[in-house]
PDB file of all heavy atoms in Angstrom:
ATOM      1  N   GLN A  39     117.978  94.683  98.520  1.00 98.00           N
ATOM      2  CA  GLN A  39     118.057  93.288  98.958  1.00 98.00           C
ATOM      3  C   GLN A  39     117.411  93.271 100.326  1.00 98.00           C
ATOM      4  O   GLN A  39     117.765  94.100 101.176  1.00 98.00           O
ATOM      5  CB  GLN A  39     119.504  92.851  99.079  1.00 98.00           C
ATOM      6  CG  GLN A  39     120.161  92.656  97.728  1.00 98.00           C
ATOM      7  CD  GLN A  39     121.497  91.962  97.857  1.00 98.00           C
ATOM      8  OE1 GLN A  39     122.288  92.305  98.728  1.00 98.00           O
ATOM      9  NE2 GLN A  39     121.763  91.003  97.001  1.00 98.00           N
ATOM     10  N   GLN A  48     102.443  84.352  91.841  1.00 97.00           N
ATOM     11  CA  GLN A  48     101.770  83.365  90.995  1.00 97.00           C
ATOM     12  C   GLN A  48     101.030  82.346  91.853  1.00 97.00           C
ATOM     13  O   GLN A  48      99.988  81.849  91.472  1.00 97.00           O
ATOM     14  CB  GLN A  48     102.794  82.607  90.108  1.00 97.00           C
ATOM     15  CG  GLN A  48     103.601  83.493  89.181  1.00 97.00           C
ATOM     16  CD  GLN A  48     102.724  84.246  88.173  1.00 97.00           C
ATOM     17  OE1 GLN A  48     101.676  83.760  87.763  1.00 97.00           O
ATOM     18  NE2 GLN A  48     103.141  85.458  87.794  1.00 97.00           N
ATOM     19  N   ARG A  55     109.501  87.051 107.227  1.00 98.00           N
ATOM     20  CA  ARG A  55     110.705  86.374 107.748  1.00 98.00           C
ATOM     21  C   ARG A  55     110.585  84.854 107.581  1.00 98.00           C
ATOM     22  O   ARG A  55     110.919  84.078 108.490  1.00 98.00           O
ATOM     23  CB  ARG A  55     110.933  86.715 109.224  1.00 98.00           C
ATOM     24  CG  ARG A  55     111.144  88.194 109.512  1.00 98.00           C
ATOM     25  CD  ARG A  55     112.510  88.669 109.110  1.00 98.00           C
ATOM     26  NE  ARG A  55     112.746  90.046 109.507  1.00 98.00           N
ATOM     27  CZ  ARG A  55     113.837  90.735 109.146  1.00 98.00           C
ATOM     28  NH1 ARG A  55     114.778  90.193 108.404  1.00 98.00           N
ATOM     29  NH2 ARG A  55     113.990  91.982 109.520  1.00 98.00           N
ATOM     30  N   GLU A  60      99.320  82.992 106.827  1.00 98.00           N
ATOM     31  CA  GLU A  60      98.163  82.280 107.407  1.00 98.00           C
ATOM     32  C   GLU A  60      98.486  81.834 108.833  1.00 98.00           C
ATOM     33  O   GLU A  60      97.648  81.900 109.728  1.00 98.00           O
ATOM     34  CB  GLU A  60      97.794  81.044 106.560  1.00 98.00           C
ATOM     35  CG  GLU A  60      97.192  81.345 105.196  1.00 98.00           C
ATOM     36  CD  GLU A  60      98.217  81.711 104.124  1.00 98.00           C
ATOM     37  OE1 GLU A  60      99.442  81.712 104.421  1.00 98.00           O
ATOM     38  OE2 GLU A  60      97.798  82.001 102.988  1.00 98.00           O
ATOM     39  N   GLU A  64      96.852  83.247 112.416  1.00 98.00           N
ATOM     40  CA  GLU A  64      96.154  82.351 113.339  1.00 98.00           C
ATOM     41  C   GLU A  64      96.803  82.330 114.726  1.00 98.00           C
ATOM     42  O   GLU A  64      96.122  82.368 115.742  1.00 98.00           O
ATOM     43  CB  GLU A  64      96.163  80.937 112.730  1.00 98.00           C
ATOM     44  CG  GLU A  64      95.321  79.946 113.510  1.00 98.00           C
ATOM     45  CD  GLU A  64      95.603  78.503 113.093  1.00 98.00           C
ATOM     46  OE1 GLU A  64      96.017  78.282 111.924  1.00 98.00           O
ATOM     47  OE2 GLU A  64      95.446  77.614 113.956  1.00 98.00           O
ATOM     48  N   SER A  72     105.315  92.215 114.817  1.00 98.00           N
ATOM     49  CA  SER A  72     106.140  93.415 114.605  1.00 98.00           C
ATOM     50  C   SER A  72     107.572  93.151 115.056  1.00 98.00           C
ATOM     51  O   SER A  72     108.536  93.525 114.377  1.00 98.00           O
ATOM     52  CB  SER A  72     105.585  94.610 115.405  1.00 98.00           C
ATOM     53  OG  SER A  72     104.269  94.866 115.017  1.00 98.00           O
ATOM     54  N   LEU A  75     109.253  91.034 112.491  1.00 98.00           N
ATOM     55  CA  LEU A  75     109.617  91.786 111.287  1.00 98.00           C
ATOM     56  C   LEU A  75     110.841  92.667 111.540  1.00 98.00           C
ATOM     57  O   LEU A  75     111.763  92.720 110.729  1.00 98.00           O
ATOM     58  CB  LEU A  75     108.438  92.669 110.844  1.00 98.00           C
ATOM     59  CG  LEU A  75     107.247  91.925 110.224  1.00 98.00           C
ATOM     60  CD1 LEU A  75     106.038  92.853 110.116  1.00 98.00           C
ATOM     61  CD2 LEU A  75     107.613  91.377 108.840  1.00 98.00           C
ATOM     62  N   ILE A  76     110.851  93.336 112.677  1.00 98.00           N
ATOM     63  CA  ILE A  76     111.892  94.344 112.924  1.00 98.00           C
ATOM     64  C   ILE A  76     113.222  93.708 113.338  1.00 98.00           C
ATOM     65  O   ILE A  76     114.279  94.106 112.861  1.00 98.00           O
ATOM     66  CB  ILE A  76     111.390  95.375 113.968  1.00 98.00           C
ATOM     67  CG1 ILE A  76     110.182  96.124 113.387  1.00 98.00           C
ATOM     68  CG2 ILE A  76     112.500  96.353 114.367  1.00 98.00           C
ATOM     69  CD1 ILE A  76     109.341  96.877 114.392  1.00 98.00           C
ATOM     70  N   ASP A  87     107.317  90.105 126.488  1.00 98.00           N
ATOM     71  CA  ASP A  87     106.748  90.826 127.641  1.00 98.00           C
ATOM     72  C   ASP A  87     107.403  92.195 127.783  1.00 98.00           C
ATOM     73  O   ASP A  87     106.728  93.199 128.003  1.00 98.00           O
ATOM     74  CB  ASP A  87     106.975  90.035 128.942  1.00 98.00           C
ATOM     75  CG  ASP A  87     106.040  88.829 129.048  1.00 98.00           C
ATOM     76  OD1 ASP A  87     105.106  88.747 128.217  1.00 98.00           O
ATOM     77  OD2 ASP A  87     106.261  87.974 129.934  1.00 98.00           O
ATOM     78  N   HIS A  96     104.843 103.890 126.568  1.00 97.00           N
ATOM     79  CA  HIS A  96     105.053 105.037 125.663  1.00 97.00           C
ATOM     80  C   HIS A  96     103.812 105.438 124.875  1.00 97.00           C
ATOM     81  O   HIS A  96     103.901 106.231 123.943  1.00 97.00           O
ATOM     82  CB  HIS A  96     106.197 104.718 124.684  1.00 97.00           C
ATOM     83  CG  HIS A  96     107.541 104.848 125.310  1.00 97.00           C
ATOM     84  ND1 HIS A  96     108.178 106.052 125.491  1.00 97.00           N
ATOM     85  CD2 HIS A  96     108.367 103.906 125.824  1.00 97.00           C
ATOM     86  CE1 HIS A  96     109.335 105.861 126.078  1.00 97.00           C
ATOM     87  NE2 HIS A  96     109.484 104.575 126.298  1.00 97.00           N
ATOM     88  N   ALA A 140     120.171 101.163 121.040  1.00 96.00           N
ATOM     89  CA  ALA A 140     119.215 101.699 122.024  1.00 96.00           C
ATOM     90  C   ALA A 140     118.337 102.773 121.373  1.00 96.00           C
ATOM     91  O   ALA A 140     117.142 102.883 121.652  1.00 96.00           O
ATOM     92  CB  ALA A 140     119.965 102.281 123.218  1.00 96.00           C
ATOM     93  N   LEU A 194      86.254  89.310 120.835  1.00 96.00           N
ATOM     94  CA  LEU A 194      86.294  88.848 119.444  1.00 96.00           C
ATOM     95  C   LEU A 194      86.662  90.015 118.516  1.00 96.00           C
ATOM     96  O   LEU A 194      87.515  89.874 117.625  1.00 96.00           O
ATOM     97  CB  LEU A 194      84.941  88.242 119.031  1.00 96.00           C
ATOM     98  CG  LEU A 194      84.891  87.801 117.574  1.00 96.00           C
ATOM     99  CD1 LEU A 194      85.787  86.586 117.321  1.00 96.00           C
ATOM    100  CD2 LEU A 194      83.460  87.483 117.110  1.00 96.00           C
ATOM    101  N   ASN A 212     106.453  97.574  98.273  1.00 98.00           N
ATOM    102  CA  ASN A 212     105.308  98.379  97.826  1.00 98.00           C
ATOM    103  C   ASN A 212     105.703  99.858  97.833  1.00 98.00           C
ATOM    104  O   ASN A 212     106.762 100.231  98.352  1.00 98.00           O
ATOM    105  CB  ASN A 212     104.118  98.106  98.750  1.00 98.00           C
ATOM    106  CG  ASN A 212     104.469  98.454 100.173  1.00 98.00           C
ATOM    107  OD1 ASN A 212     104.380  99.595 100.585  1.00 98.00           O
ATOM    108  ND2 ASN A 212     104.949  97.474 100.927  1.00 98.00           N
ATOM    109  N   SER A 234     106.991 110.288 105.510  1.00 98.00           N
ATOM    110  CA  SER A 234     106.989 110.170 104.047  1.00 98.00           C
ATOM    111  C   SER A 234     106.240 108.908 103.619  1.00 98.00           C
ATOM    112  O   SER A 234     105.504 108.906 102.630  1.00 98.00           O
ATOM    113  CB  SER A 234     108.393 110.255 103.461  1.00 98.00           C
ATOM    114  OG  SER A 234     109.064 109.045 103.603  1.00 98.00           O
ATOM    115  N   ALA A 247      92.835 102.729  98.731  1.00 93.00           N
ATOM    116  CA  ALA A 247      91.800 101.985  98.000  1.00 93.00           C
ATOM    117  C   ALA A 247      90.757 101.384  98.943  1.00 93.00           C
ATOM    118  O   ALA A 247      89.609 101.188  98.549  1.00 93.00           O
ATOM    119  CB  ALA A 247      92.449 100.885  97.162  1.00 93.00           C
ATOM    120  N   LEU A 255      80.949  99.980  96.836  1.00 97.00           N
ATOM    121  CA  LEU A 255      79.895  99.015  97.181  1.00 97.00           C
ATOM    122  C   LEU A 255      78.594  99.759  97.486  1.00 97.00           C
ATOM    123  O   LEU A 255      77.501  99.303  97.121  1.00 97.00           O
ATOM    124  CB  LEU A 255      80.315  98.152  98.376  1.00 97.00           C
ATOM    125  CG  LEU A 255      81.524  97.234  98.148  1.00 97.00           C
ATOM    126  CD1 LEU A 255      81.882  96.479  99.425  1.00 97.00           C
ATOM    127  CD2 LEU A 255      81.285  96.239  97.018  1.00 97.00           C
ATOM    128  N   SER A 260      73.083  97.153  95.229  1.00 97.00           N
ATOM    129  CA  SER A 260      72.348  95.885  95.286  1.00 97.00           C
ATOM    130  C   SER A 260      73.088  94.841  94.457  1.00 97.00           C
ATOM    131  O   SER A 260      73.850  95.180  93.538  1.00 97.00           O
ATOM    132  CB  SER A 260      70.937  96.056  94.711  1.00 97.00           C
ATOM    133  OG  SER A 260      71.018  96.278  93.317  1.00 97.00           O
ATOM    134  N   ARG A 292      95.901  87.592 101.727  1.00 98.00           N
ATOM    135  CA  ARG A 292      95.340  88.401 102.818  1.00 98.00           C
ATOM    136  C   ARG A 292      93.855  88.636 102.598  1.00 98.00           C
ATOM    137  O   ARG A 292      93.081  88.737 103.551  1.00 98.00           O
ATOM    138  CB  ARG A 292      96.097  89.731 102.927  1.00 98.00           C
ATOM    139  CG  ARG A 292      97.594  89.539 103.190  1.00 98.00           C
ATOM    140  CD  ARG A 292      98.368  90.828 102.975  1.00 98.00           C
ATOM    141  NE  ARG A 292      98.290  91.286 101.590  1.00 98.00           N
ATOM    142  CZ  ARG A 292      98.772  92.437 101.138  1.00 98.00           C
ATOM    143  NH1 ARG A 292      99.367  93.265 101.987  1.00 98.00           N
ATOM    144  NH2 ARG A 292      98.672  92.773  99.867  1.00 98.00           N
ATOM    145  N   PHE A 307      77.697  89.308 114.820  1.00 92.00           N
ATOM    146  CA  PHE A 307      77.075  90.640 114.980  1.00 92.00           C
ATOM    147  C   PHE A 307      76.051  90.982 113.897  1.00 92.00           C
ATOM    148  O   PHE A 307      75.617  92.121 113.795  1.00 92.00           O
ATOM    149  CB  PHE A 307      78.163  91.728 115.012  1.00 92.00           C
ATOM    150  CG  PHE A 307      79.163  91.514 116.120  1.00 92.00           C
ATOM    151  CD1 PHE A 307      80.466  91.122 115.833  1.00 92.00           C
ATOM    152  CD2 PHE A 307      78.792  91.668 117.446  1.00 92.00           C
ATOM    153  CE1 PHE A 307      81.389  90.895 116.850  1.00 92.00           C
ATOM    154  CE2 PHE A 307      79.705  91.456 118.467  1.00 92.00           C
ATOM    155  CZ  PHE A 307      81.011  91.057 118.174  1.00 92.00           C
ATOM    156  N   LEU A 327      87.839  89.589  84.169  1.00 97.00           N
ATOM    157  CA  LEU A 327      89.250  90.007  84.191  1.00 97.00           C
ATOM    158  C   LEU A 327      90.208  88.951  84.742  1.00 97.00           C
ATOM    159  O   LEU A 327      91.413  89.201  84.822  1.00 97.00           O
ATOM    160  CB  LEU A 327      89.402  91.293  85.028  1.00 97.00           C
ATOM    161  CG  LEU A 327      88.612  92.519  84.547  1.00 97.00           C
ATOM    162  CD1 LEU A 327      88.707  93.639  85.572  1.00 97.00           C
ATOM    163  CD2 LEU A 327      89.123  93.011  83.206  1.00 97.00           C
ATOM    164  N   ASN A 335      92.509  92.270  96.092  1.00 96.00           N
ATOM    165  CA  ASN A 335      93.732  92.502  96.860  1.00 96.00           C
ATOM    166  C   ASN A 335      93.355  92.768  98.323  1.00 96.00           C
ATOM    167  O   ASN A 335      92.175  92.720  98.694  1.00 96.00           O
ATOM    168  CB  ASN A 335      94.558  93.641  96.239  1.00 96.00           C
ATOM    169  CG  ASN A 335      93.794  94.964  96.195  1.00 96.00           C
ATOM    170  OD1 ASN A 335      93.212  95.381  97.200  1.00 96.00           O
ATOM    171  ND2 ASN A 335      93.790  95.621  95.031  1.00 96.00           N
ATOM    172  N   ARG A 345      84.056  98.455 108.778  1.00 94.00           N
ATOM    173  CA  ARG A 345      82.718  99.049 108.752  1.00 94.00           C
ATOM    174  C   ARG A 345      81.829  98.350 109.781  1.00 94.00           C
ATOM    175  O   ARG A 345      81.073  98.993 110.500  1.00 94.00           O
ATOM    176  CB  ARG A 345      82.162  98.864 107.343  1.00 94.00           C
ATOM    177  CG  ARG A 345      80.931  99.645 107.028  1.00 94.00           C
ATOM    178  CD  ARG A 345      80.603  99.413 105.553  1.00 94.00           C
ATOM    179  NE  ARG A 345      79.558 100.292 105.109  1.00 94.00           N
ATOM    180  CZ  ARG A 345      78.277 100.057 105.311  1.00 94.00           C
ATOM    181  NH1 ARG A 345      77.883  98.984 105.922  1.00 94.00           N
ATOM    182  NH2 ARG A 345      77.379 100.937 104.876  1.00 94.00           N
ATOM    183  N   ILE A 349      83.761 101.624 112.500  1.00 97.00           N
ATOM    184  CA  ILE A 349      84.861 102.583 112.317  1.00 97.00           C
ATOM    185  C   ILE A 349      84.552 103.468 111.107  1.00 97.00           C
ATOM    186  O   ILE A 349      84.161 102.960 110.055  1.00 97.00           O
ATOM    187  CB  ILE A 349      86.193 101.819 112.121  1.00 97.00           C
ATOM    188  CG1 ILE A 349      86.522 101.022 113.391  1.00 97.00           C
ATOM    189  CG2 ILE A 349      87.332 102.769 111.752  1.00 97.00           C
ATOM    190  CD1 ILE A 349      87.704 100.082 113.271  1.00 97.00           C
ATOM    191  N   PHE A 354      90.024 104.093 107.698  1.00 97.00           N
ATOM    192  CA  PHE A 354      90.514 102.785 107.226  1.00 97.00           C
ATOM    193  C   PHE A 354      91.997 102.870 106.819  1.00 97.00           C
ATOM    194  O   PHE A 354      92.783 101.974 107.127  1.00 97.00           O
ATOM    195  CB  PHE A 354      89.719 102.285 106.020  1.00 97.00           C
ATOM    196  CG  PHE A 354      88.261 101.981 106.284  1.00 97.00           C
ATOM    197  CD1 PHE A 354      87.428 101.587 105.243  1.00 97.00           C
ATOM    198  CD2 PHE A 354      87.713 102.085 107.552  1.00 97.00           C
ATOM    199  CE1 PHE A 354      86.084 101.299 105.466  1.00 97.00           C
ATOM    200  CE2 PHE A 354      86.366 101.817 107.785  1.00 97.00           C
ATOM    201  CZ  PHE A 354      85.561 101.422 106.733  1.00 97.00           C
ATOM    202  N   PHE A 358      95.445 101.127 108.310  1.00 98.00           N
ATOM    203  CA  PHE A 358      96.455 100.430 107.484  1.00 98.00           C
ATOM    204  C   PHE A 358      97.844 100.952 107.899  1.00 98.00           C
ATOM    205  O   PHE A 358      98.788 100.176 108.106  1.00 98.00           O
ATOM    206  CB  PHE A 358      96.151 100.714 106.006  1.00 98.00           C
ATOM    207  CG  PHE A 358      96.916  99.903 104.990  1.00 98.00           C
ATOM    208  CD1 PHE A 358      96.369  99.684 103.720  1.00 98.00           C
ATOM    209  CD2 PHE A 358      98.166  99.361 105.256  1.00 98.00           C
ATOM    210  CE1 PHE A 358      97.054  98.951 102.754  1.00 98.00           C
ATOM    211  CE2 PHE A 358      98.861  98.619 104.295  1.00 98.00           C
ATOM    212  CZ  PHE A 358      98.313  98.425 103.040  1.00 98.00           C
ATOM    213  N   TYR A 380     119.787 106.345  97.945  1.00 98.00           N
ATOM    214  CA  TYR A 380     119.101 106.077  96.669  1.00 98.00           C
ATOM    215  C   TYR A 380     119.329 107.244  95.737  1.00 98.00           C
ATOM    216  O   TYR A 380     119.089 108.396  96.076  1.00 98.00           O
ATOM    217  CB  TYR A 380     117.590 105.911  96.882  1.00 98.00           C
ATOM    218  CG  TYR A 380     117.212 104.502  97.257  1.00 98.00           C
ATOM    219  CD1 TYR A 380     117.083 104.128  98.589  1.00 98.00           C
ATOM    220  CD2 TYR A 380     116.999 103.548  96.280  1.00 98.00           C
ATOM    221  CE1 TYR A 380     116.748 102.832  98.939  1.00 98.00           C
ATOM    222  CE2 TYR A 380     116.666 102.244  96.616  1.00 98.00           C
ATOM    223  CZ  TYR A 380     116.538 101.893  97.942  1.00 98.00           C
ATOM    224  OH  TYR A 380     116.211 100.609  98.273  1.00 98.00           O
ATOM    225  N   GLU A 391     120.621 122.784  74.696  1.00 97.00           N
ATOM    226  CA  GLU A 391     121.091 124.029  74.071  1.00 97.00           C
ATOM    227  C   GLU A 391     119.928 124.949  73.689  1.00 97.00           C
ATOM    228  O   GLU A 391     119.937 125.584  72.629  1.00 97.00           O
ATOM    229  CB  GLU A 391     121.906 123.722  72.794  1.00 97.00           C
ATOM    230  CG  GLU A 391     123.028 122.720  72.973  1.00 97.00           C
ATOM    231  CD  GLU A 391     124.248 123.287  73.686  1.00 97.00           C
ATOM    232  OE1 GLU A 391     124.408 124.529  73.723  1.00 97.00           O
ATOM    233  OE2 GLU A 391     125.027 122.482  74.235  1.00 97.00           O
ATOM    234  N   ILE A 395     114.654 133.179  75.890  1.00 97.00           N
ATOM    235  CA  ILE A 395     113.953 134.255  75.188  1.00 97.00           C
ATOM    236  C   ILE A 395     113.541 135.299  76.221  1.00 97.00           C
ATOM    237  O   ILE A 395     112.852 134.962  77.192  1.00 97.00           O
ATOM    238  CB  ILE A 395     112.697 133.727  74.458  1.00 97.00           C
ATOM    239  CG1 ILE A 395     113.105 132.579  73.513  1.00 97.00           C
ATOM    240  CG2 ILE A 395     111.960 134.823  73.703  1.00 97.00           C
ATOM    241  CD1 ILE A 395     111.962 131.736  73.013  1.00 97.00           C
TER     242      ILE A 395
END
Side-chain angles (χ1 to χ4, degrees):
Q39 287 191 316
Q48 301 299 329
R55 299 285 186 187
E60 290 80 1
E64 187 194 333
S72 301
L75 288 167
I76 296 164
D87 285 349
H96 283 280
L194 177 69
N212 59 84
S234 79
L255 296 177
S260 69
R292 301 167 297 174
F307 302 109
L327 300 172
N335 60 49
R345 192 176 189 278
I349 296 172
F354 295 177
F358 190 154
Y380 274 94
E391 308 285 340
I395 305 165

